[in-house]
Amino acid sequence: MLDLLVRNATLPDGETGIDIAVNNGRITSISRGISADAHTILDADGWLVTPPFVDSHFHLDATLSAGRPRVNQSGTLLEGIDIWGELSPTLTVEDIYERAREQCLWSIARGCLAIRSHVDITDNALLAVDALVALRNDLAPWIDLQLVAFPQYGYFRHPNARANMIRALDRGLDVVGGIPHFERTMMEGGDSVGALCRIAADRGLPVDMHCDETDDPNSRHVERLALEAHRLDLHGRVAGSHLTSMHSMDNYYVSKLLPLMQEAGLAAVANPLINIVIQGRHDTYPKRRGLTRVKEMIEAGIPVALGHDCVMDPWYSLGSHDMLEVAHMAVHVGHLTGVAEMEAMFDSVTGTAAEIMHLEGYGLQEGCNADLVVLQARSKVEAIRVRANRLYVVRRGRVIAESAPQSVALTLGSERESVDFVSQKG
Ligand code: FE2
């Protein structure tokens, strides 16, 4: 007797009519025509079944705080940082915990079961660290949270950041963060990359740095990040988040940079919703898009994931933590409308992000965790096109979220018809 049997799934690779058997929280078999009894039988009815969405870049400490104490009128990164500076002293552990928990419920409902969240560590009381470490433990049965020690106001620029980085890591944060473009000078930015990678190497931790989140083509800290990853043998453990300055760099320099990143095993995390809102704000016309060079990095063999970054916070007042919305924006802003490119963007919010975060047991193979999402779509491209409804979200073999198929009833004349915006079966 199985715990769960998923019948008639379409898989991300396009295979149809697949059954998925689950026992003790793991996938025990995935093939056609599995005949076994199960405590729960879930009819996927030909819909797409995928591993869960993964958000590799988010800020749980700031989420759902939009408008406190004021809204970001200029839309710039710097005004957002100013507002966060006004809000931070008013926060409590309870407030941070409750907002972040609410956000995680939204995430689970959207089928996102892993989030890498940056956590501001410049507050001497480390309230956000304590709140999110507690939340990581409390929600562990349902969602994986990875926490990045993030010196929001600069590792060298903020007087508390260096000591607090160590204190935060000692309290159990998982990843070393940074923000070299916000240090006082380019040189100090580079030095911060070196110092933070050294800490990561000494502690055996990964690195995920906000890096070059600017339209300044001379912001080239990603180069130093690649150098340190290579020099300290951190291959496959270092991610550069945002990398928006690459949008504005000249092609000759990028032709040197990409092989350097690939050699260092660097990964990139782009945040298209936020990049398209924040970048280009100093431009008149034409206004730059600011998204990093996703297409070129993928072609160069550099893993690229996509993050949501913000939901209703000082930097971005929209969003509901839908990773398909993120992929949808990337497809548009990055000119990634080829079929293989759109499929790659689906992977950037699922499997590629899981690889970058080194999530154990992720995937739809035998032996993997029985974590999956049934989408009201027939393919990865269709899922992005319609930002597909999540029919079921399964964690360790248990259905933890479900919603009815979406359709709209039309009455045109005397006929009643319905549309669901997805292609017909068969
Ligand atoms: Fe961020």
Side-chain angles (χ1 to χ4, degrees):
M1 178 75 96
L2 298 170
D3 292 337
L4 171 71
L5 179 61
V6 180
R7 285 207 180 283
N8 193 18
T10 295
L11 299 185
D13 65 6
E15 262 202 286
T16 57
I18 300 297
D19 300 334
I20 303 169
V22 171
N23 249 338
N24 299 318
R26 291 194 179 267
I27 295 171
T28 55
S29 176
I30 177 161
S31 66
R32 266 174 231 285
I34 297 175
S35 57
D37 278 340
H39 290 291
T40 304
I41 294 181
L42 201 160
D43 184 5
D45 199 23
W47 295 120
L48 179 64
V49 176
T50 81
F53 295 106
V54 175
D55 185 356
S56 50
H57 189 112
F58 198 72
H59 293 261
L60 281 170
D61 50 0
T63 195
L64 304 184
S65 68
R68 292 172 54 187
R70 60 190 172 90
V71 295
N72 185 335
Q73 296 291 351
S74 70
T76 60
L77 174 72
L78 298 183
E79 185 175 349
I81 292 175
D82 286 346
I83 294 170
W84 177 241
E86 295 163 29
L87 175 62
S88 295
T90 71
L91 297 178
T92 62
V93 170
E94 293 72 25
D95 176 48
I96 299 165
Y97 183 98
E98 287 306 324
R99 283 186 291 101
R101 183 177 182 280
E102 177 74 16
Q103 179 61 67
C104 287
L105 301 192
W106 294 13
S107 311
I108 292 167
R110 294 289 196 196
C112 179
L113 300 187
I115 300 173
R116 175 178 276 184
S117 174
H118 296 254
V119 186
D120 184 1
I121 52 95
T122 54
D123 148 44
N124 264 341
L126 296 181
L127 300 181
V129 172
D130 289 345
L132 295 178
V133 165
L135 188 69
R136 183 183 62 189
N137 295 337
D138 294 348
L139 294 185
W142 303 288
I143 186 168
D144 298 307
L145 300 182
Q146 266 184 18
L147 302 176
V148 185
F150 174 47
Q152 170 76 72
Y153 300 98
Y155 181 67
F156 288 121
R157 194 168 177 180
H158 193 279
N160 303 338
R162 273 166 288 171
N164 287 356
M165 173 61 65
I166 301 303
R167 293 174 61 217
L169 295 174
D170 286 345
R171 288 193 195 189
L173 267 52
D174 307 290
V175 183
V176 177
I179 185 165
H181 54 277
F182 196 75
E183 304 291 351
R184 288 190 178 87
T185 64
M186 292 289 181
M187 197 181 76
E188 270 208 337
D191 289 347
S192 78
V193 173
L196 290 161
C197 286
R198 180 81 256 169
I199 292 171
D202 289 346
R203 288 176 168 249
L205 294 174
V207 175
D208 190 336
M209 223 171 259
H210 285 68
C211 193
D212 302 325
E213 189 183 2
T214 160
D215 296 318
D216 177 2
N218 296 311
S219 186
R220 296 177 172 187
H221 298 299
V222 60
E223 179 186 86
R224 180 73 184 269
L225 192 61
L227 173 68
E228 297 296 345
H230 187 62
R231 185 153 62 186
L232 297 169
D233 200 16
L234 295 169
H235 304 83
R237 288 167 44 196
V238 179
S241 280
H242 290 291
L243 304 178
T244 53
S245 73
M246 283 178 73
H247 185 95
S248 299
M249 289 173 183
D250 69 82
N251 290 339
Y252 189 89
Y253 175 70
V254 172
S255 74
K256 179 197 171 195
L257 178 61
L258 292 176
L260 207 62
M261 293 170 68
Q262 197 274 336
E263 177 195 35
L266 220 62
V269 181
N271 299 290
L273 293 169
I274 306 312
N275 302 150
I276 196 67
V277 165
I278 285 181
Q279 304 313 132
R281 289 282 182 168
H282 295 262
D283 295 351
T284 53
Y285 287 94
K287 290 179 188 286
R288 283 168 287 181
R289 299 172 181 216
L291 185 71
T292 192
R293 301 194 186 202
V294 173
K295 185 185 300 212
E296 291 75 10
M297 284 195 279
I298 291 174
E299 283 169 5
I302 296 163
V304 182
L306 303 174
H308 205 301
D309 201 1
C310 307
V311 170
M312 297 180 69
D313 71 9
W315 295 272
Y316 186 65
S317 58
L318 302 170
S320 63
H321 213 233
D322 183 349
M323 295 309 295
L324 284 171
E325 200 172 299
V326 174
H328 189 264
M329 182 61 79
V331 162
H332 287 78
V333 178
H335 282 170
L336 293 156
T337 47
V339 171
E341 292 170 337
M342 288 195 277
E343 290 180 341
M345 291 303 93
F346 187 93
D347 297 343
S348 291
V349 293
T350 52
T352 307
E355 272 172 42
I356 291 171
M357 288 170 60
H358 295 278
L359 296 181
E360 284 179 24
Y362 181 92
L364 280 187
Q365 293 84 40
E366 283 180 22
C368 289
N369 294 328
D371 299 349
L372 52 89
V373 181
V374 184
L375 294 169
Q376 192 181 351
R378 302 290 176 204
S379 68
K380 295 197 277 191
V381 171
E382 190 165 75
I384 293 174
R385 179 175 66 79
V386 298
R387 275 83 81 214
N389 184 29
R390 284 67 166 168
L391 296 168
Y392 298 98
V393 179
V394 172
R395 172 80 165 179
R396 306 296 193 261
R398 282 186 48 233
V399 175
I400 59 169
E402 57 188 299
S403 64
Q406 287 176 347
S407 68
V408 180
L410 304 176
T411 307
L412 309 176
S414 58
E415 290 290 308
R416 220 170 140 74
E417 300 174 78
S418 69
V419 292
D420 60 7
F421 309 104
V422 297
S423 51
Q424 295 305 301
K425 277 191 224 176

